[in-house]
mmCIF file of all heavy atoms in Angstrom:
data_model
loop_
_atom_site.group_PDB
_atom_site.id
_atom_site.type_symbol
_atom_site.label_atom_id
_atom_site.label_comp_id
_atom_site.label_asym_id
_atom_site.label_seq_id
_atom_site.Cartn_x
_atom_site.Cartn_y
_atom_site.Cartn_z
ATOM 1 N N VAL A 397 -110.471 87.335 150.927
ATOM 2 C CA VAL A 397 -110.280 87.825 152.290
ATOM 3 C C VAL A 397 -110.622 89.312 152.356
ATOM 4 O O VAL A 397 -111.220 89.790 153.325
ATOM 5 C CB VAL A 397 -108.834 87.581 152.758
ATOM 6 C CG1 VAL A 397 -108.571 88.244 154.119
ATOM 7 C CG2 VAL A 397 -108.553 86.082 152.851
ATOM 8 N N GLU A 398 -110.255 90.061 151.303
ATOM 9 C CA GLU A 398 -110.522 91.493 151.282
ATOM 10 C C GLU A 398 -112.024 91.783 151.360
ATOM 11 O O GLU A 398 -112.457 92.705 152.055
ATOM 12 C CB GLU A 398 -109.921 92.127 150.028
ATOM 13 C CG GLU A 398 -108.406 92.145 149.976
ATOM 14 C CD GLU A 398 -107.793 90.777 149.704
ATOM 15 O OE1 GLU A 398 -108.502 89.892 149.183
ATOM 16 O OE2 GLU A 398 -106.610 90.614 150.025
ATOM 17 N N LEU A 399 -112.816 91.009 150.635
ATOM 18 C CA LEU A 399 -114.263 91.199 150.665
ATOM 19 C C LEU A 399 -114.836 90.840 152.029
ATOM 20 O O LEU A 399 -115.742 91.511 152.537
ATOM 21 C CB LEU A 399 -114.928 90.357 149.568
ATOM 22 C CG LEU A 399 -114.691 90.847 148.135
ATOM 23 C CD1 LEU A 399 -115.197 89.818 147.134
ATOM 24 C CD2 LEU A 399 -115.391 92.192 147.905
ATOM 25 N N LEU A 400 -114.309 89.799 152.643
ATOM 26 C CA LEU A 400 -114.751 89.441 153.989
ATOM 27 C C LEU A 400 -114.424 90.565 154.978
ATOM 28 O O LEU A 400 -115.265 90.942 155.805
ATOM 29 C CB LEU A 400 -114.086 88.138 154.439
ATOM 30 C CG LEU A 400 -114.607 86.850 153.827
ATOM 31 C CD1 LEU A 400 -113.665 85.694 154.141
ATOM 32 C CD2 LEU A 400 -116.025 86.538 154.345
ATOM 33 N N LEU A 401 -113.226 91.104 154.874
ATOM 34 C CA LEU A 401 -112.805 92.136 155.811
ATOM 35 C C LEU A 401 -113.545 93.455 155.589
ATOM 36 O O LEU A 401 -113.504 94.341 156.448
ATOM 37 C CB LEU A 401 -111.295 92.365 155.695
ATOM 38 C CG LEU A 401 -110.415 91.235 156.232
ATOM 39 C CD1 LEU A 401 -108.955 91.504 155.938
ATOM 40 C CD2 LEU A 401 -110.627 91.056 157.732
ATOM 41 N N ALA A 402 -114.222 93.595 154.474
ATOM 42 C CA ALA A 402 -115.012 94.801 154.214
ATOM 43 C C ALA A 402 -116.324 94.795 154.991
ATOM 44 O O ALA A 402 -116.987 95.829 155.107
ATOM 45 C CB ALA A 402 -115.279 94.953 152.718
ATOM 46 N N ARG A 403 -116.696 93.628 155.525
ATOM 47 C CA ARG A 403 -117.934 93.529 156.307
ATOM 48 C C ARG A 403 -117.727 94.134 157.694
ATOM 49 O O ARG A 403 -116.716 93.875 158.357
ATOM 50 C CB ARG A 403 -118.355 92.061 156.458
ATOM 51 C CG ARG A 403 -118.840 91.395 155.186
ATOM 52 C CD ARG A 403 -119.239 89.963 155.504
ATOM 53 N NE ARG A 403 -120.293 89.921 156.509
ATOM 54 C CZ ARG A 403 -121.561 89.582 156.267
ATOM 55 N NH1 ARG A 403 -121.923 89.222 155.048
ATOM 56 N NH2 ARG A 403 -122.457 89.560 157.237
ATOM 57 N N GLU A 404 -118.710 94.892 158.161
ATOM 58 C CA GLU A 404 -118.613 95.511 159.477
ATOM 59 C C GLU A 404 -118.568 94.471 160.588
ATOM 60 O O GLU A 404 -117.812 94.616 161.556
ATOM 61 C CB GLU A 404 -119.799 96.462 159.692
ATOM 62 C CG GLU A 404 -119.732 97.220 161.003
ATOM 63 C CD GLU A 404 -120.886 98.186 161.186
ATOM 64 O OE1 GLU A 404 -121.730 98.286 160.267
ATOM 65 O OE2 GLU A 404 -120.959 98.827 162.252
ATOM 66 N N ASP A 405 -119.367 93.394 160.447
ATOM 67 C CA ASP A 405 -119.385 92.391 161.510
ATOM 68 C C ASP A 405 -118.049 91.654 161.604
ATOM 69 O O ASP A 405 -117.590 91.323 162.698
ATOM 70 C CB ASP A 405 -120.548 91.406 161.333
ATOM 71 C CG ASP A 405 -120.672 90.838 159.934
ATOM 72 O OD1 ASP A 405 -119.795 91.100 159.079
ATOM 73 O OD2 ASP A 405 -121.667 90.131 159.675
ATOM 74 N N ILE A 406 -117.423 91.407 160.460
ATOM 75 C CA ILE A 406 -116.110 90.746 160.481
ATOM 76 C C ILE A 406 -115.061 91.683 161.077
ATOM 77 O O ILE A 406 -114.173 91.245 161.826
ATOM 78 C CB ILE A 406 -115.701 90.301 159.064
ATOM 79 C CG1 ILE A 406 -116.620 89.176 158.569
ATOM 80 C CG2 ILE A 406 -114.246 89.832 159.046
ATOM 81 C CD1 ILE A 406 -116.501 87.870 159.320
ATOM 82 N N GLN A 407 -115.156 92.980 160.777
ATOM 83 C CA GLN A 407 -114.213 93.937 161.353
ATOM 84 C C GLN A 407 -114.347 93.993 162.866
ATOM 85 O O GLN A 407 -113.339 94.051 163.584
ATOM 86 C CB GLN A 407 -114.437 95.326 160.757
ATOM 87 C CG GLN A 407 -113.747 95.558 159.423
ATOM 88 C CD GLN A 407 -112.232 95.516 159.547
ATOM 89 O OE1 GLN A 407 -111.658 95.916 160.561
ATOM 90 N NE2 GLN A 407 -111.584 95.004 158.510
ATOM 91 N N LYS A 408 -115.581 93.985 163.364
ATOM 92 C CA LYS A 408 -115.797 94.007 164.816
ATOM 93 C C LYS A 408 -115.222 92.742 165.459
ATOM 94 O O LYS A 408 -114.568 92.800 166.504
ATOM 95 C CB LYS A 408 -117.287 94.126 165.120
ATOM 96 C CG LYS A 408 -117.875 95.495 164.807
ATOM 97 C CD LYS A 408 -119.358 95.551 165.136
ATOM 98 C CE LYS A 408 -119.929 96.940 164.882
ATOM 99 N NZ LYS A 408 -121.382 97.002 165.166
#
Side-chain angles (χ1 to χ4, degrees):
V397 173
E398 292 73 20
L399 289 171
L400 285 168
L401 289 174
R403 290 181 59 109
E404 184 178 358
D405 48 6
I406 292 293
Q407 277 295 326
K408 289 180 177 179

